[in-house]
């Protein structure tokens, strides 16, 4: 899925697109986030990016012009069927683009905030990735990530986890998938959620693992049994061996074999074999 957004004044700004900003993420990295969901909410992205960027424009006059353009674009994206709003938003964006170009020609960027306004122009033209790449040095990745993740508009989605995973260096696709998987299982006991979050941060969470852990979640475990389950899930070899022997003693030879082989489904049964 590709979010096009409004493309007003796009030609005049294309030559200045920044692929990477300092030590931040390149535009190609930010572009993966809108692709991570079937629907990316343009109005949410435009509003969030505009709020972050306009606040950093030092020139009061330029900041005011930027705010007017941003407000009109957000209103248009919220009501895309309105031809009047579309026209007003286009004119305001083109006016801002022209202002930024004139200021840039005068080499007034350092004092007027043309760098910040330039990033905003990308956002108002629907080029979210370019806007983020340019804004990251002065806005910060975490704030931008919250905007992008919020615009994904996914149900049963752990937004906070997605932002943490992305901030920790995981790729957008993997982070979004993990947050979706965990978001569906918010009812899991805290001890199991802790295990799942750890696996998500380690990049070892997949659908098969979640399905197995889901079966563990239905097991009613005492605090001591839950601690045992965590150790089993973390691969404590000595505990796995003793738990497998306990299962064999209880007549659960097949479960013992599965536990020794690392099958997560056997963990709940092994943990429940510990006396209450």
């Amino acid at each position: 899925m590709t979010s096009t957004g409004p493309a007003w004044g796009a030609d005049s700004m294309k030559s200045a697109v920044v692929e990477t900003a300092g030590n931040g993420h390149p535009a190609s990295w930010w572009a993966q986030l809108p692709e991570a969901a079937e629907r990316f909410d343009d109005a949410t992205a435009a509003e969030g990016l505009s709020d972050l960027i306009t606040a950093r424009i030092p020139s009061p006059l330029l900041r005011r012009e930027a705010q007017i353009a941003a407000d009109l674009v957000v209103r248009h994206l919220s009501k895309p069927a309105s031809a009047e709003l579309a026209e007003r938003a286009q004119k305001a964006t083109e006016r801002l683009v022209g202002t930024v170009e004139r200021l840039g020609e005068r080499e007034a960027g350092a004092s007027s905030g043309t760098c910040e306004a330039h990033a905003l122009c990308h956002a108002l033209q629907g080029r979210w990735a370019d806007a983020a790449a340019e804004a990251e040095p002065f806005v910060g990745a975490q704030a931008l990530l919250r905007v992008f993740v919020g615009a994904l508009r996914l149900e049963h989605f752990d937004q906070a986890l997605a932002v943490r995973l992305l901030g920790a260096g995981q790729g957008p696709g993997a982070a979004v998938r993990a947050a979706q998987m965990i978001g569906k299982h918010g009812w899991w006991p805290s001890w199991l959620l802790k295990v799942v979050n750890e696996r998500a941060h380690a990049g070892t969470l997949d659908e098969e693992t979640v399905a197995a852990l889901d079966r563990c979640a239905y097991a009613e475990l005492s605090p001591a049994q839950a601690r045992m389950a965590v150790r089993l899930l973390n691969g404590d070899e000595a505990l796995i061996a003793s738990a497998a022997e306990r299962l064999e003693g209880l007549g659960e030879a097949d479960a013992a074999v599965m536990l020794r082989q690392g099958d997560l489904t056997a963990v709940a049964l092994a943990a429940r074999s510990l006396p209450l």
Side-chain angles (χ1 to χ4, degrees):
M1 189 283 305
T2 300
S3 174
T4 56
W8 311 314
D11 291 340
S12 63
M13 298 292 289
K14 281 182 180 177
S15 62
V17 170
V18 175
E19 174 64 14
T20 182
N23 294 321
H25 301 88
S28 58
W29 187 91
W30 289 104
Q32 295 177 60
L33 279 165
E35 298 290 344
E38 293 183 2
R39 174 173 177 258
F40 186 77
D41 192 277
D42 290 342
T44 298
E47 183 174 21
L49 290 172
S50 298
D51 287 346
L52 290 176
I53 296 171
T54 54
R56 300 301 185 100
I57 298 175
S59 167
L61 291 177
L62 182 58
R63 183 168 62 248
R64 178 57 181 161
E65 184 175 344
Q67 289 171 337
I68 292 172
D71 179 63
L72 286 170
V73 169
V74 171
R75 288 169 61 189
H76 162 56
L77 292 174
S78 299
K79 297 180 179 180
S82 172
E84 179 187 356
L85 281 177
E87 183 179 0
R88 293 175 63 192
Q90 179 175 354
K91 288 182 178 179
T93 300
E94 291 175 346
R95 186 183 306 115
L96 179 63
V97 169
T99 298
V100 173
E101 289 180 339
R102 287 193 299 273
L103 290 173
E105 291 172 358
R106 298 171 191 170
E107 299 182 347
S111 60
S112 66
T114 52
C115 177
E116 294 82 356
H118 189 272
L120 178 63
C121 287
H122 285 312
L124 300 186
Q125 293 165 347
R127 294 201 295 274
W128 320 120
D130 295 323
E134 289 197 13
E136 186 174 355
F138 58 85
V139 169
Q142 287 296 312
L144 291 167
L145 286 172
R146 285 191 287 272
V147 171
F148 274 74
V149 169
L152 294 177
R153 294 294 191 186
L154 294 170
E155 295 184 5
H156 309 298
F157 183 70
D158 192 330
Q159 290 193 17
L161 174 64
V163 171
R164 289 199 304 273
L165 293 176
L166 289 165
Q170 282 204 21
V176 170
R177 285 193 298 273
Q180 282 183 292
M181 284 189 282
I182 295 179
K184 297 177 183 177
H185 304 288
W187 59 271
W188 282 358
S190 58
W191 66 268
L192 189 54
L193 286 175
K194 183 175 183 296
V195 172
V196 175
N197 272 270
E198 290 173 349
R199 291 190 174 226
H201 279 279
T204 59
L205 191 65
D206 54 30
E207 293 283 0
E208 184 179 355
T209 301
V210 171
L213 294 175
D214 193 34
R215 289 188 283 273
C216 293
Y218 284 97
E220 295 183 3
L221 305 179
S222 69
Q225 291 172 330
R227 288 193 294 272
M228 178 181 179
V230 170
R231 291 174 60 191
L232 291 171
L233 290 169
N234 288 334
D236 187 320
E237 294 183 3
L239 184 59
I240 289 173
S242 62
E245 291 176 1
R246 181 185 295 275
L247 288 174
E248 289 171 340
L250 295 174
E252 297 286 352
D254 290 343
V257 172
M258 291 172 62
L259 184 63
R260 287 193 176 98
Q261 293 175 344
D263 187 274
L264 299 179
T265 306
V267 169
L269 181 59
R272 280 185 293 181
S273 72
L274 183 70
L276 293 172

